């Protein structure tokens, strides 16, 4: 196991390793109507590699989130990125019969990835026998945060009338939810209630440990409550949770959605670097690998002394 070394942020970090990335790996999905395309990124060295399933935000694809996927892979994780049906690369019409269940298809994509780990492992040169399937986390940004949250126990009041099913998966033992939606109902704007009726999460059963990351200037047109809305996954869920509040951050949290991504309205490389390091430290802690970097992150970001953010836990 590589030994972390201190970085300028004060958070220890292992030496980066070159990464191999394979895309698209195509998983047949006849009931989905469109085969599932997946990207797998992994370090070229190391064994017993933990796994992170990374769900993209609305409209993105397996091509997105390089600042996170590349960083996590370079520092010891296998990162798996499916392209969900809402991706602009799929081009699903708004009146497609699958649209009302788009949130549910996303969760099914993540479960399919878990079920097809043998296929994905075999598709990446040199990866065979190097996965640690006892250490799996789910992560997601924006709509992807809700998708990842479903695997952690978050439930959605389905607008199609299917109730609020339990879609948690015991194979996933930790999560990272980035700029993720809060409560629905009266907390939604009329626009959000009309166009995103699936945005009605119940956090009462989300017991799996998770790190929630929010920006204190993430004032989305989806909620009447302002940026504090995105803290709901931390505030309203039980169990071990942590919250990283990024000062001055908007929805892209400084630029995690992609390199030079046009949707980044608050470009800040230092902020992205902090998100990279804190999420990496948390994943190593929550998956039982090593808590050294996480302890350092909590110390460095305690209270409001750090210029970039605050980290708290419950």
């Amino acid at each position: 196991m590589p030994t972390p070394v201190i970085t300028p942020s004060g958070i220890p970090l292992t030496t980066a390793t070159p990464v191999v990335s394979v895309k698209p790996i195509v998983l047949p999905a006849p009931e989905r109507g469109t085969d599932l395309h997946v990207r797998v990124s992994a370090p070229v060295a190391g064994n017993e590699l933990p796994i992170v399933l990374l769900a993209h935000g609305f409209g993105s694809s397996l091509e997105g989130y390089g600042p996170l996927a590349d960083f996590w892979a370079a520092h010891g994780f296998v990162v798996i990125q499916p392209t969900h049906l809402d991706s602009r690369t799929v081009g699903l019409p708004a009146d497609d019969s699958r649209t009302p269940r788009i949130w549910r298809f996303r969760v099914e994509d993540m479960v399919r990835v878990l079920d097809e780990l043998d296929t994905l492992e075999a598709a990446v040169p040199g990866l065979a026998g190097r996965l640690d399937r006892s250490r799996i986390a789910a992560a997601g940004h924006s709509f992807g945060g809700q998708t990842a949250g479903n695997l952690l126990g978050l439930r959605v009041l389905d607008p199609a009338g299917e109730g609020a099913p339990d879609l948690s998966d015991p194979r996933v033992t930790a999560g990272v939810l980035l700029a993720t939606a809060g409560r629905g109902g009266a907390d939604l704007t009329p626009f959000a209630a009309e166009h995103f009726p699936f945005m009605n999460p119940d956090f009462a059963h989300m017991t799996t440990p998770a790190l929630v990351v929010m920006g204190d200037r993430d004032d989305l047109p989806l909620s009447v409550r302002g940026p504090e809305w995105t803290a709901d996954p931390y505030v309203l869920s039980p169990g071990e949770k942590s919250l990283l509040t990024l000062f001055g951050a908007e929805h892209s949290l400084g630029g995690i959605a992609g390199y030079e991504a046009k949707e980044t309205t608050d470009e800040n490389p230092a902020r992205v670097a902090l998100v990279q390091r804190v999420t990496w430290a948390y994943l190593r802690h929550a998956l039982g690998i090593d808590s050294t970097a996480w302890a350092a992150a909590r110390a460095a970001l305690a209270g409001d002394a750090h210029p970039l953010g605050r980290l708290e836990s419950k």
Side-chain angles (χ1 to χ4, degrees), residues 9 35 112 223 226 239 245 276 313:
S9 66
D35 288 340
R112 188 181 303 275
S223 174
T245 301
Q276 290 171 328
S313 299

Side-chain angles (χ1 to χ4, degrees), residues 9 28 34-35 168 245 251 260 288 297 304:
S9 66
T34 303
D35 288 340
S168 61
T245 301
H251 197 57
E260 303 179 6
D304 293 329

Side-chain angles (χ1 to χ4, degrees), residues 9 72 164 178 206 212 224:
S9 66
W72 291 342
L178 302 128
M206 198 175 79
V212 176
V224 298

Side-chain angles (χ1 to χ4, degrees), residues 107-309:
V107 183
E108 292 168 2
D109 291 345
M110 301 285 267
V111 173
R112 188 181 303 275
V113 164
L114 290 171
D115 292 343
E116 295 288 345
L117 284 177
D118 285 347
T119 302
L120 297 173
E121 180 181 348
V124 180
L127 188 57
R130 297 170 57 214
L131 297 181
D132 184 349
R133 302 186 188 204
S134 70
R135 291 187 167 111
I136 301 176
H141 174 245
S142 194
F143 193 12
Q146 177 174 296
T147 304
N150 283 125
L151 299 181
L152 310 180
L154 181 156
R155 300 185 184 184
V156 173
L157 184 60
D158 189 349
E162 298 182 23
D166 178 10
L167 302 177
S168 61
D169 194 303
R171 291 172 291 186
V172 176
T173 58
V176 176
L177 310 185
L178 302 128
T180 300
R183 288 183 307 197
D187 289 350
L188 297 180
T189 61
F191 172 85
E194 178 183 355
H195 293 89
F196 306 109
F198 48 77
M199 198 175 291
N200 197 6
D202 175 7
F203 300 103
H205 305 279
M206 198 175 79
T207 57
T208 303
L211 169 66
V212 176
V213 183
M214 66 166 287
D216 69 2
R217 293 187 184 173
D218 186 7
D219 196 1
L220 292 168
L222 303 175
S223 174
V224 298
R225 288 175 47 208
E228 70 162 16
W229 184 58
T230 59
D232 281 359
Y234 171 77
V235 175
L236 301 179
S237 63
E240 296 180 14
K241 299 293 186 298
S242 294
L243 175 66
L244 173 62
T245 301
L246 298 169
F247 304 147
E250 299 176 12
H251 197 57
S252 289
L253 306 177
I256 66 168
Y259 303 110
E260 303 179 6
K262 65 179 182 180
E263 59 262 40
T264 298
T265 56
D266 63 333
E267 186 175 11
N268 187 316
R271 186 177 296 139
V272 172
L274 186 68
V275 174
Q276 290 171 328
R277 285 157 176 75
V278 173
T279 55
W280 174 83
Y282 178 78
L283 288 166
R284 284 172 59 89
H285 161 74
L287 293 176
I289 301 168
D290 179 22
S291 294
T292 303
W294 178 242
R298 293 187 65 183
L301 294 161
D304 293 329
H306 197 285
L308 292 178

Side-chain angles (χ1 to χ4, degrees), residues 15-39:
T15 302
T17 300
V19 170
V20 60
S21 185
V22 177
K23 64 165 187 178
I25 304 169
V26 181
L27 300 179
E31 72 284 2
R32 186 179 184 263
T34 303
D35 288 340
L36 180 61
H37 287 207
V38 181
R39 179 178 192 153

